[in-house]
Amino acid sequence: MQKRVLRSPPVQAGKIKEGNAHRGRTEEQRPGLYLHIPFCTAKCRYCNFFSVTKVSEIPRFLKALFKEALLQGGGIGSFDTLYIGGGTPSLLAPFQLSELFSHLRKTYDICEDAEVTMEVNPADVGLPVLAQMRALGINRLNIGVQSFDDTLLAFLGRRHDGNQAIQSIMAARQAGFDHVGIDLIYGIPGQTRQAWKKALEYAASLNIPHLSCYQLTLEQDTPLGKSCAQGLFKIPDDDELFEFFMDTSEFLESSGYTHYEVSNFALGESFVSRHNSKYWRHIPYLGLGPAAHSFDGCKRWENVRSLECYLQRLERGELPVESCEELTNEELQLETLFLGFRTKAGIDLGAFSERFGVDLRASKKDFLKPLLSAGHLRIADGRLQPTRTGMALADAFALL
């Protein structure tokens, strides 16, 4: 089997039908709310997420976002997670964030103990700004560090340096954030396995409670993707990326982290991302903003991938949905299967049978048998779970 390492999908989540979305829902199955803030002062050279650099449109965008929230309505149920991603959400001024939270709480039922996560760029956040964020009710930060190495940061086109990355982590703690996560990238041209391990050692020494370690993936229409296609540099091959992945998992687990999802590590259950876990557990989520995705348990839809089109539609009082897909029972089964392979917990065989009326071990016998024999999957305590190599190769399972 070819060694292809799975990279986390964009964690972006546009009207969840009440009857479909939360009929019989337990507390653990409450939907999540995602906001896509599509602004950056400059595009990173590797990034394929939807964003624009026209930050002067932020006030107009926020008015449209508030209208979208109202059009979606408040009959969705209680949200127990809110994730503000982008783009660069930390470009919003504290007064704009305050207005945003006020509007959301008037429109939706957001639980008092909700996990409220915000992505921030180290170049944007010092102690005063972070303290204001904490006072607004943001209780979890995801800091886009990517690397502590200035040379690698410059190659990626990041606008912060290693010192700013470190200072942002320290400032987050001073501001009262107990739940802090950072993103790190491996597989960057010129980055050795030894240098990567030193970065992991440093992150672990800071006792950062959550680490997201992503493989660099180059899309064709990004600046780095075009440069790679022109032969200006090479990215590591699949075997090298497999070794990066295994090094990461082995080191961080030996350092006290739980490797709970392909790219995610937490210092205990309390630091696991509740919001992102909804995607992997197939729990409904509502996404607001351009290019945001939503899922109601049976149907998935995506907003327009254009800021101007998004703004114009909402200014006409229309929802900005671009495409919608009703998933068949078979498609839902397969999604549940492959999302489950991303996580350490795997798939509850009893719950799968109850939901779909299918004995997974019998219906997918020919698919599962070689993976079990090779040690990529195991069955324990009624769950079908990936091993470490299984998590590394999880994307290849879909090709079998």
Side-chain angles (χ1 to χ4, degrees), residues 264-307:
N264 288 278
F265 302 79
L267 282 176
E269 182 66 28
S270 64
F271 294 113
V272 166
S273 171
R274 286 162 50 192
H275 182 84
N276 288 349
S277 293
K278 293 183 186 297
Y279 303 119
W280 306 315
R281 293 169 56 205
H282 235 201
I283 293 173
Y285 50 89
L286 173 65
L288 306 178
H293 294 75
S294 299
F295 175 64
D296 74 354
C298 294
K299 182 174 67 176
R300 181 173 289 108
W301 62 100
E302 178 183 4
N303 281 355
V304 292
R305 193 179 172 90
S306 161
L307 177 62

Side-chain angles (χ1 to χ4, degrees), residues 14 51 82 91 115 140 154 169 175-176 247 251 282 286 332 357 383:
S51 67
L82 167 60
L91 290 177
E115 174 193 85
R140 185 182 181 103
I169 295 167
D247 289 347
F251 173 76
H282 235 201
L286 173 65
L332 288 169
R383 305 188 75 90

Side-chain angles (χ1 to χ4, degrees), residues 60 64 307-318:
R60 185 182 172 202
L307 177 62
E308 188 58 34
C309 185
Y310 174 84
L311 296 174
Q312 290 179 0
R313 286 204 189 180
L314 284 161
E315 287 166 355
R316 295 196 301 264
E318 302 171 4

Side-chain angles (χ1 to χ4, degrees), residues 42-58:
K43 290 279 288 186
C44 297
R45 299 178 68 207
Y46 62 92
C47 183
N48 195 43
F49 289 118
F50 175 73
S51 67
V52 297
T53 57
K54 197 174 182 180
V55 296
S56 61
E57 290 281 36
I58 289 178

Side-chain angles (χ1 to χ4, degrees), residues 59-274:
R60 185 182 172 202
F61 162 74
L62 288 175
K63 289 181 181 179
L65 187 69
F66 299 161
K67 183 172 288 188
E68 185 184 10
L70 286 171
L71 289 173
Q72 288 289 358
I76 293 168
S78 298
F79 293 111
D80 64 353
T81 66
L82 167 60
Y83 192 104
I84 307 172
T88 311
S90 49
L91 290 177
L92 297 184
F95 81 89
Q96 291 172 322
L97 285 172
S98 179
E99 186 180 6
L100 174 60
F101 283 120
S102 176
H103 185 90
L104 290 175
R105 291 183 177 119
K106 289 177 183 177
T107 307
Y108 297 126
D109 180 8
I110 299 176
C111 300
E112 287 188 13
D113 64 345
E115 174 193 85
V116 183
T117 307
M118 184 162 168
E119 294 179 352
V120 300
N121 186 299
D124 298 331
V125 289
L127 179 55
V129 170
L130 289 169
Q132 288 176 297
M133 289 180 179
R134 187 68 189 91
L136 287 171
I138 299 168
N139 52 34
R140 185 182 181 103
L141 286 183
N142 190 49
I143 306 175
V145 170
Q146 317 308 353
S147 177
F148 297 105
D149 184 306
D150 288 350
T151 300
L152 297 181
L153 287 170
F155 176 83
L156 294 172
R158 300 293 294 179
R159 57 186 176 88
H160 70 276
D161 58 27
N163 183 61
Q164 286 175 306
I166 296 166
Q167 292 304 313
S168 67
I169 295 167
M170 303 303 182
R173 287 192 166 133
Q174 288 179 287
F177 285 96
D178 297 322
H179 292 257
V180 177
I182 69 170
D183 291 345
L184 294 171
I185 296 178
Y186 64 85
I188 306 170
Q191 178 189 50
T192 65
R193 286 171 60 192
Q194 292 76 16
W196 170 245
K197 187 167 183 181
K198 285 185 178 180
L200 294 176
E201 289 172 347
Y202 184 68
S205 74
L206 295 177
N207 204 37
I208 299 169
H210 192 279
L211 302 176
S212 297
C213 300
Y214 299 111
Q215 169 197 327
L216 178 64
T217 301
L218 299 182
E219 302 292 343
Q220 292 182 352
D221 58 351
T222 62
L224 283 184
K226 293 175 182 176
S227 295
C228 185
Q230 293 169 5
L232 299 181
F233 60 83
K234 292 183 179 180
I235 59 173
D237 63 26
D238 288 339
D239 287 338
E240 291 175 288
L241 291 172
F242 178 83
E243 295 303 328
F244 269 105
F245 180 95
M246 297 299 284
D247 289 347
T248 304
S249 181
E250 290 167 7
F251 173 76
L252 290 179
E253 289 216 314
S254 71
S255 300
Y257 288 84
T258 298
H259 189 180
Y260 73 94
E261 192 271 341
V262 167
S263 302
N264 288 278
F265 302 79
L267 282 176
E269 182 66 28
S270 64
F271 294 113
V272 166
S273 171
R274 286 162 50 192

